[in-house]
DNA sequence: TCGAATATGTCAGCTATGTTGACATAAATT
DNA sequence: AATTTATGTCAACATAGCTGACATATTCGA
């Protein structure tokens, strides 16, 4: 081995004490979130590997199925990615018949996105294992415990976000950033 | 626009009904997790943009600070990535003086990883906003609510994982897959 | 003691998914 | 008619995964 860097740097500036709750920081939850999300994501990932799609496709299929008829702009806002990034996966999903576009009835510039039967099936197949995992993790909790989990997760989300379908104003943005 | 795909495919195979709880799936929590994790990650991301590092560096710095002296193999097992993937970010962190290596005292093939003072500072700086966000989200919860959150998150994690420092056996694996 | 197994490092190339910037087109708005 | 908006698209780039192949140092077992 070449080992350009020092392997035992004369015990110089090394810290041996673990970074712990002492620092007034909740490392436990930080790590629980990391591992929980990693495993939460792994279920659909396994399915996606089969179908040749990735996580990006998963998100698109999910939200289109959750809100059929949403526009490209709305989807971009939900995902918080650029249209160029979305374009790649969306095109694949349309070409493979998972999602269909319809010109907006009022504003014909819009492209409203709808799931096909295939798209619906895929979305459900991907959500199922995740839902099972959640049900499992909720198993020991009573109603107040479950409510606490929802409160917590909601509280973790930037208030500027999420649902209500229509926010108040949202400042015009061309291409996000 | 060229529009190779049909824009209004004769109302063929389109589904207009939203995918909802009807299907016996907990979409609410699925989405809460998605948004919560996205925003949870965004705090350190903003800091990392400044220092020229990415999420991958974040994870490495975090776990090395949490368990100073862990070996490369242990880190790989925690992160569930390949050594080649780790190598890139680890090298940068070592070269920039955030992490130091020490040959294992017992087994000199091992490289034990320790944070430097710089590394500790970075890890704390990254954890702080996340901890605040968590504290905020926990604000309204009593002790049983907080316990419920931990129970839930723990339950989301694959049992094959996490801590106890030493698992039972772990099946030999050369390069993870 | 020698050969195999182990822990780590490293080269090269590929993929998925994000980013910017620039430009095109159709439809709506003023 | 001119401008703005919604969408699409091309090109180039960055990050962070992955696989495969191979090198080196060290430990371990026969």
């Amino acid at each position: 081995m070449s080992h350009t860097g020092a392997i035992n740097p004369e015990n110089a500036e090394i810290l041996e004490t673990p970074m712990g709750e002492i620092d007034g920081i909740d490392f436990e939850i930080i790590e629980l979130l990391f591992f929980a999300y990693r495993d939460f994501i792994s279920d659909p990932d396994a399915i996606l590997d089969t179908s040749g799609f990735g996580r990006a496709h998963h998100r698109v299929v999910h939200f289109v199925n959750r809100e059929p008829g949403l526009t490209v702009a709305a989807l971009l806002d939900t995902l918080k990615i650029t249209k160029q990034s979305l374009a790649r996966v969306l095109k694949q999903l349309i070409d493979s018949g998972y999602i269909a576009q319809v010109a907006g009835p009022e504003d014909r510039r819009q492209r409203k996105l709808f799931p096909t039967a295939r798209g619906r099936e895929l979305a459900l197949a991907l959500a199922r294992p995740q839902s099972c995992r959640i049900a499992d993790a909720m198993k020991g909790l009573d109603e107040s415990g479950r409510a606490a989990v929802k409160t917590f997760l909601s509280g973790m989300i930037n208030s500027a976000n999420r649902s209500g379908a229509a926010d108040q104003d949202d400042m015009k943005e061309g291409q996000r950033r």
Side-chain angles (χ1 to χ4, degrees), chain A:
Chain A
M1 281 188 234
S2 48
H3 287 314
T4 50
I7 281 192
N8 195 326
E10 313 294 329
N11 278 18
E13 359 76 321
I14 279 178
L15 303 187
E16 306 209 357
T17 58
M19 180 173 70
E21 328 293 329
I22 317 103
D23 304 275
I25 292 181
D26 197 339
F27 294 107
E28 187 188 358
I29 306 282
I30 288 177
E31 285 166 13
L32 283 176
L33 270 167
F34 171 70
F35 292 117
Y37 194 75
R38 168 149 82 25
D39 291 347
F40 172 65
I41 279 299
S42 73
D43 296 327
D45 272 5
I47 297 174
L48 291 161
D49 276 351
T50 307
S51 54
F53 290 139
R55 289 179 195 177
H57 303 83
H58 180 183
R59 290 175 205 138
V60 172
V61 170
H62 175 89
F63 286 109
V64 169
N65 272 278
R66 281 286 279 171
E67 198 182 329
L70 51 35
T71 64
V72 170
L75 184 52
L76 286 175
D77 196 58
T78 296
L79 298 177
K80 301 239 191 295
I81 59 175
T82 57
K83 64 175 175 176
Q84 296 91 330
S85 201
L86 172 62
R88 254 184 320 228
V89 296
L90 183 54
K91 194 172 192 319
Q92 290 177 293
L93 288 168
I94 291 171
D95 290 349
S96 332
Y98 290 86
I99 289 180
Q101 288 178 317
V102 177
E106 321 254 297
D107 186 336
R108 294 180 33 83
R109 290 172 303 180
Q110 294 181 339
R111 295 291 174 264
K112 297 195 156 235
L113 305 173
F114 293 89
T116 63
R118 261 188 119 176
R120 174 61 53 98
E121 276 169 39
L122 179 58
L124 285 171
L126 293 171
R128 218 167 279 131
Q130 295 193 305
S131 187
C132 288
R133 181 181 288 269
I134 289 168
D136 227 66
M138 291 281 203
K139 192 160 295 172
L141 305 182
D142 58 12
E143 259 322 298
S144 79
R146 292 167 193 232
V149 170
K150 289 185 192 178
T151 301
F152 169 73
L153 291 177
S154 300
M156 293 288 290
I157 301 173
N158 290 342
S159 53
N161 284 331
R162 227 10 0 207
S163 311
D167 289 319
Q168 63 269 43
D169 201 278
D170 237 71
M171 104 183 92
K172 331 270 185 185
E173 23 183 287
Q175 175 173 309
R176 165 151 308 290
R177 288 221 56 185

